[in-house]
Amino acid sequence: MAAVYSGISLKLKSKTTSWEDKLKLAHFAWISHQCLLPNKEQVLLDWARQSLVAFYKKKLELKEDIVERLWIYVDNILHSRKLQNLLKNGKTVNLQISLIKIINERIAEFSLLGSQRNICVVLSCCQSILSTPALAVIYTARQELIVDLLSQLCWLACRQPGAIIPQLFEVIHLSLSHYLSLQQQQVNPRRAFGEVTGHLLQPCLVLRHFLLGGTWTQAGQGQLRPALGRDIRNQIEAVLQGGAFQPELLPSYKEELLDQQQGDSKIGAMKNLLAPLGTMIARLVDAGYCDPSLQASVVANSVALLYKLFVESYLKEGNQLLCFKVLPQLFGCLRISHLEEQRQALSVSDWTTELLVVEQFLNSVASNTIYNIAADRIRHGEAQFHFYRRLAELLLKHPQALVPAWFRCLKVLLSLNHLILEPDLDDLLASAWIDAEVTELRTQKAQEALIHTLFQTYAKLRQVPRLFEEVLGVLCRPAAEALRLPVLTAGPAAVLQECLPELPLSQVLDTWALVQERFQSLILSGLRGDEDMALKSLSLSSLLCCVMVNMRSLDAGSPLPVVRRTRQAMDRMLQGLVKPLLDLLRKPWPSTPELWQQKVGDSALLLAHTWAQVDTVLRLSCSPYRSEPGTLAGTTPEPSGPLPLLPGVEAKHWEEIEEFTVQSDSLGRYCLEQLHLQRMKNTLLQASFQSEEALCALRRDATYILGSGRVSVTRGTLASWDGQVGTVSALTYPIAHWHLVMSNLMILISYLGPDDLEYLASILLRTLPVRKAQEGLAEEEPDITLGKISQAVLHSPLFPEMQSLHSAFFLGLTARCGNILCAAAQRETALLRQQLPWLFEEDYMVMAHWENRFAKVGSEGVEPREEIAQNILSLVRGDSPIQLEGEQLESILQLLGVLSALQLDSLLAPYHVHCFLLLLSVAVTPPGSSCSSSLTLRFLRTCYQLLGCLQRGKSAQAVLRVMYVSDIFEVTLTSLFRASRRFLVSVNDPSWLEFLQVVGTFLEQLLQMLIQRKPSLGLNFGKILAFLSGHQLHNEVTSGKRSENQIPLGQQLMLVSLTKVCQVLGPLVKEQKQQDEAPEVLPKLLKEVVLQAGALLQHCMAPGAQGRLPPAVISSVGSLLEANVALRSRHNWTDVSKGTDKALSAYTTLYQTIYAQILLELPALVGDPPSFQAAVQFLTLFFLVPELHPQKDSVCTSVFHSVRKVLADPVIPVQVVEEIEPHLGTLFTQMLESGTTEDFRMWLQCILQGLDVSNLWRADLQVMLKTIPSFLNCFHRLLCSIIREGRQKDKGSAEDLPVVLECARLVERMYSHMAARAEEFRVFSPFMVAQYVVEAQKVTLYPAVKVLLQEGIYLILDLCIESDIQFLRASLQLGVRDVFKELHSDYVKHHKAKREGEKRYAV
């Protein structure tokens, strides 16, 4: 041993041994059990350490690769499980400070020089040391080492942000954890403060800045987990708080900030610690510790953090002033605090960064109640107020309307004290509202919040008129009006709409009078020829209209002085403002009106429309207003002629105004339409509104409104409108006009002619955002567009009620589809017109055509239906003259998307038939070569979905008056068989499977219609079956030959068709519903369908079809077996029954093969709900046919194990488990009916495996809770079976008793496990007891069985509370109640008493 020891030791120390050999020897010594060096771990670690120390101290020359391998050797030792086990067992391994120092030095070197050599292995060593408590003690024992390490790690991350190693953050996280632990144990606050400010403040704040900016978590970087980044930020904040804001430092801060001298008691360790805040600020703004372009952002982010930490640490009663005093000091670190000294202006991004910090300052002041107005004024000479005033002046002197935080800062200042901003209220209104160019959504919301706070504040002060006076002052002062945005965009308008109704009417009337007075005195006289004045008039008009429309409405109970004042205001406005403005629109004017004239027209008509609207509302709601004397008052009788648009303005003047407005798309034109609409409403309110004269006037107004914007809307626009009347312009007028028309359709539609309705329907269809990309864009855009308006109308529940427009829209939509089909016709247009006339008929002619045809045959008559069917079939079978290429197919798809939004199930019979024939024509039209398989499948799926929706409607039977079901069936499948030949998709493609499901649903609907109609069932089903059996696909299957030309997709379509016939015909045969048929017709047809479907299934399952079962096969086999069962139930027809038995025996192997395959695939089918449901249905039916059961294995056992795998699979999500439960219920019921006692025993044993019920129903608690009802339902069936098998029999022996006892014992165990999960099962306990006694009272059980079951039910009774027992006594029937009383008596006497005794003994 000595030789081994001395040999290794000497060789490691020998100068003659090469370093290559030394490293190999050291590695061998570490891993080999044969090398028994005393204190081997320490010796080897010291050798590596000494070698590295000597190299870095220039005492030893080594190659770089040797140095790297030495580091790797040290890292391997530190990370080895062997070392960890030794340390756990109490062995001591010393690292020595020299190793720690060279680690720290290397990290500092990496940070300063950017060298990447050995960085990974050095960090790995460091991580291993810090993560092992026995080794980390070397850092924690000498605190300066961990401080140095932490500082250098942070600098490494900050100075090399583009070349960061993910492991670095883990090491930083560990270092921070250790330092925080030391900091909490630190008893010297001066030392902790010095460490943080002297060594850690700068690197930690820079690192935090990078972390906040997401430098290492951006897409593509992947170097830092977000959770780890958050943890490091939190640790940095904790380090700063624990070092710079300790409770012991509070006196020093007070001395620095409040000039309070420290008492003698504080002399000691703290006596030399002066100006802690100044120290931190000096370190923070010190130049050179980071890139100059970065420092301003670092400082901004850091001062916000320091203020937050200061407030969290020291805010308490009496320290509010101290917390404020910090604020100016930290604010002084920001560049915006000394803008005069800046050599160049700050960019928008710079302002954004710094204003976000100011916002955080102010929010902290507001949320922590640091500013108390009274205390600041009385005790502190308004120190805070003056600071906030200076800040407000700064913000208003340098407005930043592009920065949302600028608005938010002003909002907080306003909420602190309105006097802070009141001296500059006009500048605030100008820069933040009237002159602000705000277009970005987030900035608009911030502006709206500021204006809202402004109005709310002045409303509480009852000074809203004063606020409006300032607004008017800003609006009326000289400015470049053309550059201003409309004064009432959506945000400010919404604020006024919320504020004005809450104000006292006196304040609103004062505001009204103020606006009107300024308008008349400053604007009205200078309008002619002055564009600026005209623009100001429009702004004041918008403001006045907003005040009038949103004031609180008067009613019969309103004070009479208020009513009089309102009436006077209305009269003054009409006579002194509206009419003078309208007079400026009299002829003559130039051929092209000047801008000032246009704006005056906008202003005049806006005020006129508002006056008329408000006057109507007041007359309706306030009777004193109508009777109040005034210029236009009086209860005069209704005029004999049409109502005027505005009282006192003659018709000739209105003609001139209409002639003026028609020259441009403008606000005035929109307001004139509103005036006509208002006149329509007033006319409808008159008693004589149904007179011929009134109807003519209503039609004229409706026609004018619709015609006014017809050209503009037809031209269209891509612009958007915010919905405010004051923002209507030439660009947004088409949207405003369309919005006006669509919003008032219920009024207009009764007075529009067919041409108008057709125009409306065409615009509605054309402006719909049919493309998905446009829909997504529309959802993001908050404003109103033409497309949004039309889409809202289309989806409105009122749209179907407007039958004339709905019909016009429907006909326009179908006509456009027909036009595309006609345009795709390549030849024989004349023949096509004869064969498919509904594609060429014009709009209303369509309905007349079908109504006439229906009228001829009468309600119960028949139509020569073969003609239509043969015409369509001739196109389907032959070379169709129509071929839809890609763009045409896409266009029709878009139109079908619109059609799907209509209520197709409520169409009248003529419309229904037309729609059906059109959709069928579209569906059978072959796509061109440019159409991909996916596009064609989507197209066909959409067609048949709409046909299915249509046939669920009230007029579905009308289709059968023009076509037989068998013909529709043949047309559909002929076209689909042909189309399937060119589909380049697999049989398991999800889009193909979804398409199969849609087609199957449609075919099933057709067959159900046939049954509902009843006559000639045998004839129709016979024709369908003849078509299917005569098709080439069927011949290929029956021939038994397999060729490369066979089409699996077509075979699946055939299989779906046969399956649907089985599904519909099977129940009909089973329930003997046919009355008019010979009794053997339908069973024979069903038998023939079963044989065909079976042959096709066998073909699909033949040796060529390998792999998993196709979903179509799974879906079909259950229906086929169900049809077999239905035929077997018809004992009356022996010949059919014999044939059925033959069919069943012929397909026994097929059913058994599919049964075995389904058992294997059941867990995988869970992800496909339709296939899973079909598989479960097949298994349920399989139980009903014992002849099919395998002789070797029990079907019950096999199915149980397969279902158990499904429910126990951890991969299956919770939601899926919940979805499949209903499908399993019927299967469990059938299993319980078919199972033997031995099966029950096996099931219970499996359920109890692992001693936890949830092993079967998933371990997750939520799943357990949600599946308990289903489980208890199945468990109850098991219990019933055991009670039935465990009864005392009158005759026979008790041979099965041992098995029954075993089952009863398992049931008892099951009850015990339920009782152990008391929280989950307690709510079900009374019902479980009730189920038991109901079953138990039916039979006399063997005593041994009864004892076991009762012991189990006693455990469930333990879960019942007294109210449960009372409930059972009251609700159970008489005989059952006696059994329960006996059970409960035995429970109390034996079980409960025994349990309580055990509890006392345990105590």
Side-chain angles (χ1 to χ4, degrees):
M1 287 300 174
V4 173
Y5 166 75
S6 61
I8 290 178
S9 180
L10 289 173
K11 285 184 179 181
L12 287 177
K13 293 178 181 179
S14 173
K15 293 182 180 180
T16 60
T17 308
S18 69
W19 279 99
E20 185 76 27
D21 292 339
K22 286 181 181 181
L23 285 167
K24 289 180 181 178
L25 186 61
H27 178 70
F28 169 76
W30 175 254
I31 65 172
S32 175
H33 297 289
Q34 298 175 358
C35 180
L36 302 175
L37 279 169
N39 202 13
K40 179 171 70 172
E41 298 78 19
Q42 188 70 60
V43 169
L44 294 174
L45 197 57
D46 284 346
W47 169 78
R49 173 187 56 80
Q50 289 165 0
S51 301
L52 287 169
V53 170
F55 169 76
Y56 286 112
K57 288 189 175 181
K58 310 296 183 183
K59 295 180 180 179
L60 183 65
E61 290 186 6
L62 295 174
K63 293 181 181 179
E64 284 294 341
D65 66 318
I66 297 297
V67 175
E68 184 175 2
R69 289 169 67 182
L70 279 169
W71 277 115
I72 293 171
Y73 181 71
V74 173
D75 184 47
N76 288 339
I77 291 177
L78 293 174
H79 273 91
S80 66
R81 183 167 296 182
K82 181 179 178 182
L83 180 65
Q84 301 298 323
N85 292 334
L86 289 171
L87 294 172
K88 283 180 183 177
N89 293 330
K91 185 163 184 178
T92 302
V93 176
N94 296 318
L95 289 181
Q96 302 299 328
I97 290 176
S98 58
L99 177 62
I100 301 305
K101 285 183 177 180
I102 63 169
I103 288 176
N104 286 11
E105 288 168 3
R106 297 291 70 69
I107 293 174
E109 181 183 295
F110 300 147
S111 166
L112 290 171
L113 303 179
S115 170
Q116 294 289 309
R117 181 173 287 276
N118 301 331
I119 184 173
C120 293
V121 67
V122 172
L123 286 173
S124 181
C125 290
C126 189
Q127 183 181 20
S128 181
I129 293 168
L130 291 173
S131 57
T132 307
L135 301 178
V137 69
I138 194 164
Y139 271 115
T140 56
R142 296 190 59 173
Q143 194 163 332
E144 66 275 11
L145 291 176
I146 192 72
V147 170
D148 181 54
L149 173 68
L150 185 52
S151 173
Q152 297 304 334
L153 287 169
C154 292
W155 282 130
L156 175 58
C158 298
R159 288 171 180 164
Q160 306 290 335
I164 289 301
I165 297 146
Q167 191 178 29
L168 173 61
F169 297 108
E170 299 288 350
V171 181
I172 292 174
H173 183 49
L174 286 168
S175 304
L176 284 166
S177 300
H178 283 295
Y179 182 74
L180 278 170
S181 177
L182 290 173
Q183 192 182 61
Q184 291 164 5
Q185 302 166 24
Q186 180 62 259
V187 294
N188 186 346
R190 182 175 180 274
R191 180 179 178 182
F193 181 84
E195 286 174 349
V196 168
T197 56
H199 301 280
L200 299 179
L201 183 69
Q202 291 176 341
C204 283
L205 288 177
V206 177
L207 177 60
R208 179 179 178 273
H209 171 77
F210 280 118
L211 291 170
L212 279 173
T215 303
W216 299 294
T217 54
Q218 300 295 333
Q221 295 282 337
Q223 296 169 326
L224 174 62
R225 291 180 289 109
L228 180 59
R230 285 193 300 272
D231 289 344
I232 293 174
R233 290 204 311 270
N234 293 336
Q235 287 176 318
I236 289 173
E237 294 180 12
V239 165
L240 296 177
Q241 189 160 27
F245 304 108
Q246 307 162 67
E248 294 84 357
L249 297 181
L250 180 59
S252 295
Y253 282 110
K254 286 184 176 181
E255 181 181 358
E256 178 184 6
L257 298 170
L258 302 178
D259 298 326
Q260 293 182 5
Q261 297 298 319
Q262 299 181 48
D264 294 339
S265 61
K266 298 296 180 183
I267 296 175
M270 297 297 298
K271 64 181 180 181
N272 296 322
L273 184 58
L274 302 176
L277 183 63
T279 303
M280 278 192 294
I281 289 176
R283 296 287 293 164
L284 184 61
V285 299
D286 184 25
Y289 68 87
C290 68
D291 191 289
S293 63
L294 188 67
Q295 186 166 3
S297 299
V298 172
V299 169
N301 286 327
S302 301
V303 293
L305 171 65
L306 294 176
Y307 189 64
K308 179 178 83 79
L309 297 177
F310 188 93
V311 170
E312 288 176 357
S313 302
Y314 298 131
L315 179 66
K316 58 183 179 181
E317 191 60 38
N319 280 352
Q320 286 85 353
L321 181 62
L322 177 68
C323 290
F324 162 71
K325 285 289 188 178
V326 178
L327 189 54
Q329 303 282 340
L330 294 175
F331 177 72
C333 298
L334 300 176
R335 286 173 294 176
I336 61 172
S337 66
H338 40 85
L339 287 172
E340 294 76 10
E341 303 170 16
Q342 298 288 330
R343 295 183 179 179
Q344 60 182 23
L346 300 180
S347 65
V348 173
S349 62
D350 293 335
W351 273 103
T352 301
T353 300
E354 305 225 338
L355 286 174
L356 285 170
V357 175
V358 175
E359 181 190 1
Q360 291 179 58
F361 285 158
L362 294 174
N363 281 333
S364 186
V365 169
S367 60
N368 293 292
T369 324
I370 291 171
Y371 177 43
N372 182 288
I373 297 174
D376 182 55
R377 182 179 301 160
I378 296 168
R379 299 176 189 168
H380 311 303
E382 294 190 317
Q384 293 200 51
F385 176 78
H386 292 312
F387 171 74
Y388 301 136
R389 272 291 300 139
R390 289 194 301 273
L391 178 57
E393 289 170 354
L394 172 68
L395 294 175
L396 293 173
K397 186 178 179 182
H398 303 276
Q400 300 295 321
L402 297 176
V403 182
W406 181 75
F407 292 96
R408 295 197 294 266
C409 289
L410 292 169
K411 175 180 173 291
V412 182
L413 286 172
L414 185 63
S415 63
L416 287 175
N417 185 353
H418 76 284
L419 295 176
I420 294 171
L421 291 170
E422 188 160 271
D424 303 312
L425 187 56
D426 56 342
D427 291 337
L428 172 66
L429 291 167
S431 58
W433 178 9
I434 295 166
D435 293 332
E437 295 185 19
V438 179
T439 55
E440 200 266 329
L441 182 60
R442 288 189 309 115
T443 314
Q444 287 174 348
K445 290 186 178 298
Q447 181 196 42
E448 182 180 343
L450 171 61
I451 298 173
H452 182 270
T453 303
L454 188 64
F455 273 92
Q456 289 293 329
T457 300
Y458 279 84
K460 291 176 184 176
L461 297 169
R462 304 181 70 83
Q463 294 182 19
V464 170
R466 183 191 178 304
L467 180 59
F468 268 98
E469 188 174 3
E470 294 288 346
V471 172
L472 292 169
V474 175
L475 283 172
C476 294
R477 69 191 183 190
E481 292 293 329
L483 300 178
R484 280 177 169 171
L485 294 175
V487 68
L488 285 180
T489 52
V495 170
L496 290 178
Q497 288 164 9
E498 182 181 343
C499 174
L500 289 168
E502 303 300 321
L503 293 178
L505 282 170
S506 59
Q507 285 194 45
V508 179
L509 290 170
D510 288 343
T511 304
W512 184 344
L514 179 66
V515 179
Q516 188 169 327
E517 186 273 327
R518 292 292 175 89
F519 202 131
Q520 290 173 311
S521 62
L522 300 177
I523 306 295
L524 191 58
S525 58
L527 280 175
R528 190 177 294 276
D530 191 329
E531 291 183 4
D532 271 0
M533 281 297 181
L535 288 166
K536 290 182 188 297
S537 75
L538 185 56
S539 296
L540 265 64
S541 299
S542 299
L543 203 59
L544 180 55
C545 293
C546 186
V547 172
M548 293 172 64
V549 170
N550 293 294
M551 67 179 285
R552 193 184 306 164
S553 183
L554 302 178
D555 53 33
S558 299
L560 196 56
V562 174
V563 176
R564 286 175 180 167
R565 192 177 170 194
T566 305
R567 186 54 193 259
Q568 291 165 5
M570 290 287 288
D571 289 347
R572 282 196 304 270
M573 181 178 171
L574 182 62
Q575 298 299 333
L577 203 56
V578 178
K579 286 187 176 180
L581 286 171
L582 290 175
D583 287 339
L584 291 173
L585 302 181
R586 288 185 180 275
K587 285 186 175 181
W589 57 72
S591 57
T592 303
E594 298 177 17
L595 179 63
W596 75 267
Q597 289 174 313
Q598 291 180 11
K599 296 307 173 184
V600 167
D602 293 345
S603 178
L605 290 168
L606 175 59
L607 291 172
H609 146 59
T610 305
W611 189 95
Q613 181 182 352
V614 173
D615 181 68
T616 300
V617 172
L618 291 172
R619 287 180 180 277
L620 288 173
S621 62
C622 183
S623 54
Y625 174 85
R626 294 196 300 270
S627 58
E628 184 63 29
T631 308
L632 301 168
T635 54
T636 56
E638 293 182 359
S640 56
L643 293 175
L645 287 172
L646 207 65
V649 182
E650 65 273 13
K652 185 177 180 181
H653 192 181
W654 284 118
E655 291 175 5
E656 293 180 351
I657 292 171
E658 288 179 8
E659 189 178 340
F660 174 82
T661 58
V662 80
Q663 299 180 67
S664 62
D665 293 346
S666 62
L667 171 60
R669 191 169 178 179
Y670 172 76
C671 291
L672 192 55
E673 294 167 14
Q674 289 276 17
L675 274 169
H676 280 274
L677 179 64
Q678 190 62 53
R679 182 163 67 178
M680 288 185 73
K681 294 176 182 178
N682 292 338
T683 303
L684 290 169
L685 290 171
Q686 291 194 333
S688 58
F689 77 95
Q690 290 184 325
S691 66
E692 187 61 34
E693 190 174 14
L695 290 174
C696 289
L698 288 166
R699 291 191 190 103
R700 282 196 301 272
D701 283 331
T703 303
Y704 173 81
I705 293 168
L706 198 62
S708 175
R710 183 182 290 237
V711 175
S712 301
V713 174
T714 303
R715 188 168 58 243
T717 179
L718 296 176
S720 60
W721 178 48
D722 65 0
Q724 299 304 313
V725 66
T727 61
V728 175
S729 63
L731 194 62
T732 59
Y733 165 76
I735 308 166
H737 166 79
W738 190 239
H739 184 267
L740 170 68
V741 172
M742 292 294 105
S743 301
N744 294 278
L745 271 176
M746 298 299 287
I747 296 174
L748 296 171
I749 200 165
S750 301
Y751 308 103
L752 296 175
D755 291 342
D756 293 328
L757 291 172
E758 188 176 350
Y759 156 73
L760 283 177
S762 66
I763 297 296
L764 190 61
L765 179 58
R766 198 186 72 197
T767 55
L768 280 172
V770 290
R771 292 187 181 274
K772 290 184 178 179
Q774 291 177 347
E775 287 174 2
L777 188 64
E779 287 172 6
E780 295 171 6
E781 174 61 56
D783 289 345
I784 303 170
T785 61
L786 290 175
K788 277 188 174 182
I789 298 168
S790 299
Q791 199 167 35
V793 172
L794 180 67
H795 292 96
S796 169
L798 295 176
F799 188 44
E801 303 299 322
M802 297 180 278
Q803 194 170 1
S804 56
L805 178 61
H806 189 271
S807 300
F809 180 79
F810 170 77
L811 291 173
L813 181 60
T814 55
R816 190 172 293 189
C817 286
N819 291 340
I820 295 174
L821 286 178
C822 295
Q826 300 170 343
R827 53 187 170 77
E828 301 178 6
T829 308
L831 178 61
L832 190 65
R833 184 182 292 273
Q834 293 178 359
Q835 293 174 323
L836 308 178
W838 50 86
L839 298 184
F840 296 87
E841 291 166 334
E842 296 293 333
D843 296 346
Y844 289 93
M845 295 297 294
V846 173
M847 294 307 105
H849 167 78
W850 292 114
E851 286 167 0
N852 290 339
R853 293 183 77 167
F854 283 170
K856 287 177 185 176
V857 299
S859 59
E860 296 299 328
V862 293
E863 174 81 8
R865 305 170 222 189
E866 292 85 352
E867 177 189 350
I868 293 176
Q870 290 306 316
N871 286 339
I872 300 177
L873 272 173
S874 65
L875 293 176
V876 172
R877 290 170 178 163
D879 186 12
S880 175
I882 305 177
Q883 266 200 348
L884 291 170
E885 295 300 335
E887 288 187 5
Q888 294 168 324
L889 210 63
E890 288 280 9
S891 299
I892 290 186
L893 262 175
Q894 292 169 5
L895 294 173
L896 294 181
V898 177
L899 187 64
S900 66
L902 300 178
Q903 294 184 5
L904 298 181
D905 55 355
S906 60
L907 292 177
L908 298 176
Y911 295 90
H912 185 106
V913 170
H914 176 68
C915 187
F916 183 88
L917 291 176
L918 177 69
L919 285 172
L920 190 61
S921 304
V922 169
V924 302
T925 301
S929 58
S930 63
C931 300
S932 64
S933 296
S934 59
L935 175 62
T936 306
L937 268 177
R938 183 159 59 92
F939 171 72
L940 289 173
R941 183 177 69 243
T942 304
C943 289
Y944 286 105
Q945 278 175 336
L946 289 174
L947 281 167
C949 177
L950 196 66
Q951 289 311 101
R952 288 192 294 271
K954 65 179 183 180
S955 303
Q957 292 291 332
V959 173
L960 301 188
R961 298 168 70 178
V962 296
M963 287 184 78
Y964 290 112
V965 168
S966 55
D967 291 335
I968 301 172
F969 205 90
E970 184 175 353
V971 166
T972 300
L973 287 175
T974 302
S975 68
L976 290 178
F977 287 145
R978 185 172 183 175
S980 67
R981 294 179 178 275
R982 61 186 304 272
F983 288 151
L984 301 177
V985 295
S986 71
V987 292
N988 294 323
D989 188 285
S991 60
W992 169 253
L993 296 176
E994 186 181 357
F995 170 68
L996 276 183
Q997 191 175 358
V998 169
V999 170
T1001 302
F1002 174 64
L1003 295 177
E1004 187 176 357
Q1005 286 174 332
L1006 290 178
L1007 298 173
Q1008 293 293 350
M1009 284 170 55
L1010 183 59
I1011 291 176
Q1012 291 168 12
R1013 201 166 175 85
K1014 292 181 182 177
S1016 306
L1017 287 178
L1019 179 62
N1020 276 279
F1021 275 109
K1023 287 180 67 177
I1024 291 171
L1025 195 56
F1027 161 70
L1028 293 174
S1029 59
H1031 197 274
Q1032 178 187 353
L1033 282 167
H1034 179 263
N1035 296 332
E1036 291 174 355
V1037 171
T1038 53
S1039 67
K1041 298 179 181 179
R1042 305 185 63 84
S1043 68
E1044 295 180 358
N1045 297 327
Q1046 292 183 1
I1047 305 164
L1049 301 182
Q1051 292 173 0
Q1052 287 200 352
L1053 276 169
M1054 177 69 78
L1055 189 58
V1056 167
S1057 309
L1058 291 168
T1059 299
K1060 292 305 174 183
V1061 176
C1062 283
Q1063 285 179 354
V1064 174
L1065 201 52
L1068 195 67
V1069 169
K1070 188 175 181 180
E1071 298 171 17
Q1072 303 180 17
K1073 281 190 174 179
Q1074 75 280 7
Q1075 290 93 9
D1076 302 329
E1077 306 288 340
E1080 69 280 0
V1081 172
L1082 293 182
K1084 284 184 177 179
L1085 288 173
L1086 180 59
K1087 188 193 82 168
E1088 190 175 343
V1089 175
V1090 167
L1091 290 172
Q1092 289 189 24
L1096 187 53
L1097 270 175
Q1098 276 187 329
H1099 190 76
C1100 294
M1101 294 291 294
Q1106 297 176 355
R1108 286 189 172 179
L1109 288 174
V1113 170
I1114 298 174
S1115 301
S1116 300
V1117 70
S1119 301
L1120 180 61
L1121 184 56
E1122 188 175 13
N1124 260 316
V1125 172
L1127 284 170
R1128 285 161 56 87
S1129 66
R1130 298 296 301 263
H1131 298 296
N1132 299 2
W1133 302 291
T1134 55
D1135 56 335
V1136 174
S1137 180
K1138 289 176 182 176
T1140 304
D1141 289 339
K1142 282 185 179 180
L1144 187 63
S1145 61
Y1147 300 136
T1148 297
T1149 305
L1150 171 68
Y1151 287 131
Q1152 289 176 344
T1153 303
I1154 293 176
Y1155 158 76
Q1157 193 74 14
I1158 284 177
L1159 289 183
L1160 289 174
E1161 296 181 12
L1162 199 60
L1165 292 176
V1166 172
D1168 181 9
S1171 295
F1172 183 83
Q1173 185 177 356
V1176 171
Q1177 180 195 12
F1178 171 77
L1179 292 176
T1180 306
L1181 291 166
F1182 197 79
F1183 278 108
L1184 299 176
V1185 191
E1187 300 93 317
L1188 300 177
H1189 293 187
Q1191 296 180 354
K1192 293 182 180 180
D1193 302 320
S1194 164
V1195 172
C1196 287
T1197 302
S1198 301
V1199 171
F1200 176 83
H1201 284 304
S1202 183
V1203 172
R1204 184 166 174 258
K1205 286 180 184 176
V1206 171
L1207 295 175
D1209 189 349
V1211 177
I1212 299 174
V1214 175
Q1215 295 81 0
V1216 175
V1217 174
E1218 295 170 8
E1219 289 168 5
I1220 65 175
E1221 280 180 44
H1223 307 317
L1224 295 175
T1226 308
L1227 176 61
F1228 283 146
T1229 302
Q1230 193 60 51
M1231 285 169 61
L1232 290 166
E1233 290 177 1
S1234 306
T1236 64
T1237 307
E1238 184 63 30
D1239 289 329
F1240 301 152
R1241 186 181 67 82
M1242 182 274 297
W1243 295 341
L1244 285 171
Q1245 282 181 329
C1246 289
I1247 292 172
L1248 285 165
Q1249 273 183 350
L1251 303 181
D1252 193 340
V1253 177
S1254 63
N1255 273 0
L1256 177 62
W1257 295 96
R1258 310 288 302 277
D1260 188 275
L1261 178 59
Q1262 290 184 350
V1263 182
M1264 179 70 180
L1265 289 173
K1266 290 174 181 176
T1267 57
I1268 279 175
S1270 299
F1271 165 72
L1272 289 179
N1273 191 24
C1274 298
F1275 178 71
H1276 174 61
R1277 295 193 184 106
L1278 285 169
L1279 177 67
C1280 295
S1281 301
I1282 291 168
I1283 289 176
R1284 185 174 64 249
E1285 296 297 326
R1287 70 188 186 281
Q1288 294 185 19
K1289 301 177 178 64
D1290 296 334
K1291 296 180 181 179
S1293 63
E1295 292 178 0
D1296 291 336
L1297 189 57
V1299 178
V1300 174
L1301 283 172
E1302 178 64 19
C1303 291
R1305 196 171 292 110
L1306 291 171
V1307 166
E1308 181 197 8
R1309 286 181 61 199
M1310 180 67 73
Y1311 277 133
S1312 70
H1313 294 305
M1314 292 182 197
R1317 304 294 292 268
E1319 186 177 344
E1320 292 92 338
F1321 283 93
R1322 200 215 65 75
V1323 69
F1324 303 99
S1325 56
F1327 303 101
M1328 294 166 67
V1329 173
Q1331 287 176 331
Y1332 171 78
V1333 293
V1334 166
E1335 297 301 327
Q1337 65 93 27
K1338 296 177 182 177
V1339 298
T1340 302
L1341 291 169
Y1342 281 111
V1345 175
K1346 183 177 181 181
V1347 166
L1348 289 170
L1349 295 181
Q1350 280 192 345
E1351 286 297 327
I1353 207 66
Y1354 288 161
L1355 299 173
I1356 303 303
L1357 279 168
D1358 286 340
L1359 304 181
C1360 295
I1361 57 178
E1362 185 58 33
S1363 59
D1364 295 334
I1365 303 300
Q1366 298 301 326
F1367 165 74
L1368 289 168
R1369 284 175 175 161
S1371 59
L1372 292 173
Q1373 295 180 356
L1374 189 59
V1376 180
R1377 193 184 307 159
D1378 294 335
V1379 175
F1380 172 71
K1381 286 180 180 178
E1382 181 182 351
L1383 174 70
H1384 189 258
S1385 175
D1386 292 342
Y1387 162 75
V1388 172
K1389 183 186 299 183
H1390 303 295
H1391 179 81
K1392 193 174 182 181
K1394 178 184 176 184
R1395 191 186 59 173
E1396 290 176 352
E1398 289 173 350
K1399 284 183 180 179
R1400 286 195 296 271
Y1401 177 77
V1403 171

